[in-house]
Amino acid sequence: MLRFTVERLIGMVVTMALVSLMVFIIMEIPPGDYADRYAFRKYSGTGISVTAADVQAIRVDLGLDRPMLIRYFDWIGGIVLRGDFGQAFAFETSVNKVIGDKVWLTSGILFATLILTYLISIPIGIYAAVRRGSAVDYGLTVFSYLGLALPNFLLALVMLYFANRWFGSDIGGLFSAPYRDAPWSLPRVWDMLKHLWLPAVVLAWSAVAYQIQTVRATMSDELNKLSVTAARARGVPEGRLLLKYPARLAINPIVSTIGFDVNRIFSELPIVAVVLGLTELGQLLLRAYLDLDMNVAGAILLILTFAIVFMNFLSDILLAWLDPRIKLGA
Amino acid sequence: MSRLLSVENLTISFRTDEGTITPVQDVTFAVDKGRTLGLVGESGSGKSVSTKALMRLLPRTASLGADTKMHYTAKDGQVMRIETLSDRSREIRALRGGEMGMIFQEPMASFSPVYTIGNQIIEAIRLHRPMSKREARAFAIDMLDKVGISNAGARIDQYAHELSGGMRQRAMIAVALSAGPALLIADEPTTALDVTIQAQVLDLMRDLQRELGMGMIFITHDLGVIAQVADDVAVMYLGSIVERGPARDVIRAPKHPYTQGLLAALPSLDTLSKRLTPIPGEIPSPNARPSGCPFHTRCAQKIAGLCDRKIPREVVPEPGRAVRCWLYDENGRAVA
């Protein structure tokens, strides 16, 4: 297991390096560079005419005249060594300040959604497979179609209405008014959790519907395996039997797609965020693209891809633990 | 010799999309302590389903007939009425493994691929014997040793896919026997093995049965294997037992045309030059059960107008033998 983990760890680091290079290239693709923009922002409307020499001076000043590879190592070095993502020129401050809290809020929503999805879909999927063909099973199938067919933003609107009607809460944003700009404290975290469930439920909805069907299908297969009958024939109590034998293998497809789920949730997040009034990274990414603020866009892309690569690493390790055949290479 | 298990009028039906099918009808047999009953028949004759019913391992869609009686005398002398037990009761869990052990045709598929062999043996031991983890592990190693697995102390931590086919089946036997059952049900345990390994596993099972004084139900489609292991034999065709009796007598002088056909289809070294005689036709599907005697569609000796109309009774042509065939039921024929 140790050797397997180390191998995957090395694989993850290599992937992250390649991904960072790709993100940097994406940042380079739009025409013009930071020097052009800086000059435009600083001098437009002031009546001062800017010459090519002035722009070049800014370029040299900022070190943008250096070869691309050097600038890449400068950029990634700053991130890895100092956690510094560079300047966000549209905001005239550092990228770290712009992204700041949003990283934590976004990852909070992501994890809450993931955990909620798995907590609901795995037990229900197992139950549906065990009671295959029962009324409950058919009911869940109908719910699944509903879950897959219903658009997120519509669900968000409906949930917002009911959350407000029933709980009277000022749903919208992740904090209630007194905590919005307050420094982090325990009551603020509690306040966030009280707001977090709504976006988590909205984002988890379709994933739950989909994963229930996944678990149900694999669990149904596993239940018919001879090894399960053999275990039953040696007197293993039914509950323990289900968890120990078929369920352990039935959650494989879920575990192996954790990375995809992170990506999917992140892509769905901006629309839901608009409806629920959240401030998160997805929206910021969209705006950064429109402003051609490539340092911000690059930072967000890098964080997202690192998160996906890391979750894939986690799912590899989990899979190897669930099914020893994987690490034994059989 | 005391009775271990007696099964009377076992009838099993399944609900399917095409309606109810009844793959086992009115089956009666018994097993005594320390004796082996061989259940013989082609695939689809209901052999496996019958033994699964004994351990209540049938799927939810199955139901037992109203007259079904399965009485089992437990190790403590109490008689368990298996047909009345609930699938999830404590009694049935004690019976599964602790009273009856089961071995299957596919040793690879009988083990979970994600747990070591030791994990699954120790599980069986600790469910039925009051042992600590450490004691159970030592016992499991002894058991693996007993079934002829070399270097058992290392093998116990291996997975099923790391063993050879023969070793896997030995390990499965160790799992079944480690809980100390009084009745061993072996469902074609040697069918998936190489011929040389088959003989070794058969020998092993016979030796262990003698040593532990277990009763055994041995399911096979191979009458040659029956001759080696079984004391008594019951021949099944399409969900009914068509002939019963001491294994040696039945093989030497089969009564039912189906048993005769099975024996004629058996390759033998003495008759290498002769061609084998297969039974003509195929076993009908359980949802298209022929009227009358189920075998009449393939029988060379059928009595037209009788065998295809009326189900034959079980008659006793000579002491100790029983056969379900109109050829041996002169009184019945006269009435019909």
Side-chain angles (χ1 to χ4, degrees):
Chain A
M1 193 71 190
L2 187 71
R3 201 187 135 172
F4 177 83
T5 310
V6 170
E7 274 173 20
R8 292 296 147 124
L9 203 65
I10 294 169
M12 176 177 79
V13 171
V14 171
T15 314
M16 281 183 173
L18 289 175
V19 159
S20 71
L21 194 62
M22 275 170 66
V23 168
F24 187 76
I25 291 169
I26 292 171
M27 288 163 63
E28 291 285 309
I29 287 173
D33 62 11
Y34 186 54
D36 287 327
R37 266 153 240 282
Y38 186 78
F40 176 76
R41 286 206 161 251
K42 198 165 177 191
Y43 300 113
S44 68
T46 58
I48 302 168
S49 67
V50 181
T51 63
D54 291 336
V55 176
Q56 186 59 29
I58 295 171
R59 192 166 287 139
V60 172
D61 196 33
L62 293 172
L64 292 177
D65 57 331
R66 294 174 302 163
M68 185 176 140
L69 212 59
I70 304 240
R71 280 184 291 118
Y72 165 72
F73 281 112
D74 198 35
W75 176 69
I76 197 73
I79 293 168
V80 173
L81 299 176
R82 282 169 277 126
D84 175 11
F85 285 91
Q87 282 288 311
F89 53 82
F91 298 91
E92 303 203 321
T93 174
S94 69
V95 172
N96 291 39
K97 270 238 173 69
V98 175
I99 297 178
D101 268 5
K102 295 197 180 76
V103 172
W104 301 114
L105 296 182
T106 305
S107 41
I109 295 175
L110 273 176
F111 275 106
T113 307
L114 277 181
I115 289 168
L116 193 70
T117 304
Y118 300 149
L119 274 185
I120 298 175
S121 59
I122 292 172
I124 291 185
I126 291 173
Y127 183 83
V130 173
R131 303 257 153 212
R132 208 181 166 149
S134 68
V136 179
D137 183 28
Y138 286 123
L140 284 168
T141 307
V142 172
F143 161 78
S144 293
Y145 286 128
L146 204 66
L148 291 172
L150 209 60
N152 267 329
F153 61 88
L154 191 67
L155 182 70
L157 279 174
V158 173
M159 297 273 295
L160 205 57
Y161 172 76
F162 283 110
N164 190 270
R165 275 291 296 269
W166 292 340
F167 303 113
S169 48
D170 57 327
I171 302 289
L174 268 184
F175 299 99
S176 43
Y179 294 104
R180 194 152 295 149
D181 296 310
W184 282 104
S185 61
L186 224 59
R188 191 172 189 245
V189 171
W190 175 238
D191 185 61
M192 184 182 84
L193 287 179
K194 277 198 288 189
H195 288 80
L196 197 59
W197 69 269
L198 188 65
V201 167
V202 171
L203 287 165
W205 189 274
S206 64
V208 164
Y210 178 76
Q211 299 288 30
I212 283 177
Q213 293 304 314
T214 310
V215 175
R216 178 183 176 274
T218 45
M219 185 75 182
S220 305
D221 278 355
E222 289 298 328
L223 277 173
N224 290 329
K225 292 267 168 81
L226 183 59
S227 55
V228 176
T229 307
R232 199 174 279 133
R234 55 180 176 263
V236 183
E238 199 63 21
R240 193 166 123 198
L241 175 98
L242 291 179
L243 290 184
K244 184 176 174 185
Y245 294 100
R248 179 164 169 167
L249 286 165
I251 60 174
N252 267 8
I254 289 213
V255 172
S256 57
T257 53
I258 292 178
F260 294 107
D261 276 341
V262 171
N263 194 16
R264 190 190 45 74
I265 294 168
F266 188 83
S267 321
E268 289 177 3
L269 196 47
I271 299 171
V272 174
V274 168
V275 177
L276 296 180
L278 305 173
T279 50
E280 48 74 49
L281 285 180
Q283 247 179 322
L284 189 63
L285 177 63
L286 224 61
R287 234 180 82 200
Y289 274 134
L290 293 176
D291 290 350
L292 277 177
D293 197 343
M294 293 321 287
N295 270 355
V296 173
I300 296 173
L301 269 185
L302 197 66
I303 290 172
L304 173 66
T305 44
F306 276 14
I308 293 171
V309 172
F310 178 72
M311 291 311 256
N312 276 335
F313 165 74
L314 260 189
S315 80
D316 275 354
I317 300 294
L318 268 175
L319 273 181
W321 174 74
L322 283 172
D323 189 342
R325 281 172 299 178
I326 291 170
K327 67 169 181 268
L328 293 167
Chain B
M1 218 172 296
S2 58
R3 182 89 351 145
L4 189 58
L5 171 79
S6 79
V7 173
E8 281 170 43
N9 309 324
L10 173 63
T11 300
I12 305 168
S13 310
F14 284 89
R15 272 181 289 116
T16 69
D17 292 338
E18 287 107 48
T20 306
I21 58 166
T22 308
V24 175
Q25 230 168 45
D26 225 7
V27 160
T28 297
F29 61 85
V31 183
D32 290 331
K33 271 183 190 148
R35 305 264 294 178
T36 299
L37 169 73
L39 270 184
V40 196
E42 288 164 283
S43 23
S45 60
K47 314 171 298 246
S48 294
V49 179
S50 305
T51 51
K52 288 223 169 71
L54 290 177
M55 290 173 85
R56 304 298 302 269
L57 291 171
L58 294 173
R60 212 180 289 275
T61 51
S63 58
L64 297 175
D67 299 334
T68 298
K69 285 198 180 72
M70 297 183 284
H71 292 185
Y72 173 80
T73 312
K75 287 184 279 189
D76 61 7
Q78 248 176 10
V79 174
M80 300 173 87
R81 299 160 58 93
I82 300 169
E83 74 279 5
T84 63
L85 297 177
S86 136
D87 278 3
R88 298 208 167 192
S89 62
R90 182 194 293 264
E91 289 87 349
I92 201 73
R93 286 212 311 269
L95 178 110
R96 290 174 182 165
E99 296 287 346
M100 295 183 188
M102 203 168 207
I103 307 171
F104 304 89
Q105 184 175 344
E106 298 285 342
M108 180 69 187
S110 324
F111 280 105
S112 164
V114 299
Y115 295 96
T116 60
I117 287 171
N119 179 304
Q120 292 167 77
I121 302 185
I122 291 168
E123 177 183 54
I125 295 170
R126 297 203 65 200
L127 281 167
H128 300 287
R129 294 177 191 269
M131 282 192 186
S132 71
K133 256 193 185 142
R134 183 180 303 221
E135 290 167 333
R137 189 182 159 85
F139 190 84
I141 292 175
D142 280 352
M143 211 66 215
L144 287 174
D145 204 43
K146 200 175 209 160
V147 297
I149 290 180
S150 56
N151 199 6
R155 295 276 183 202
I156 190 171
D157 292 319
Q158 289 191 311
Y159 294 91
H161 59 260
E162 297 177 278
L163 302 186
S164 68
M167 284 297 145
R168 270 179 220 137
Q169 196 56 296
R170 285 171 191 265
M172 198 63 221
I173 294 171
V175 174
L177 296 187
S178 60
L183 175 66
L184 183 66
I185 299 171
D187 190 348
E188 306 217 24
T190 56
T191 307
L193 303 176
D194 289 343
V195 182
T196 46
I197 309 289
Q198 258 186 34
Q200 289 174 13
V201 171
L202 280 181
D203 278 350
L204 172 74
M205 291 184 69
R206 213 171 26 189
D207 291 348
L208 286 170
Q209 185 207 7
R210 272 189 206 135
E211 186 186 332
L212 303 171
M214 285 181 304
M216 179 149 86
I217 298 177
F218 196 102
I219 300 175
T220 180
H221 60 265
D222 186 348
L223 267 174
V225 170
I226 288 294
Q228 287 179 62
V229 293
D231 302 303
D232 303 291
V233 64
V235 181
M236 282 189 86
Y237 185 80
L238 212 62
S240 308
I241 291 181
V242 293
E243 180 161 8
R244 293 191 288 158
R248 196 173 301 187
D249 300 350
V250 170
I251 288 168
R252 202 169 289 157
K255 301 271 181 207
H256 198 281
Y258 177 60
T259 320
Q260 291 165 0
L262 277 182
L263 278 163
L266 205 64
S268 148
L269 285 176
D270 310 328
T271 54
L272 268 183
S273 51
K274 276 192 256 166
R275 291 188 65 131
L276 295 175
T277 327
I279 302 175
E282 272 171 35
I283 193 162
S285 129
N287 50 10
R289 216 181 138 88
S291 59
C293 170
F295 188 61
H296 85 259
T297 53
R298 299 166 75 186
C299 184
Q301 303 169 56
K302 75 167 175 231
I303 305 164
L306 179 63
C307 292
D308 53 350
R309 292 224 185 111
K310 290 221 152 89
I311 299 177
R313 313 176 291 179
E314 192 172 71
V315 289
V316 180
E318 58 190 71
R321 302 282 297 268
V323 60
R324 222 180 243 275
C325 179
W326 284 116
L327 292 173
Y328 302 92
D329 190 3
E330 275 151 35
N331 299 335
R333 277 210 305 266
V335 176

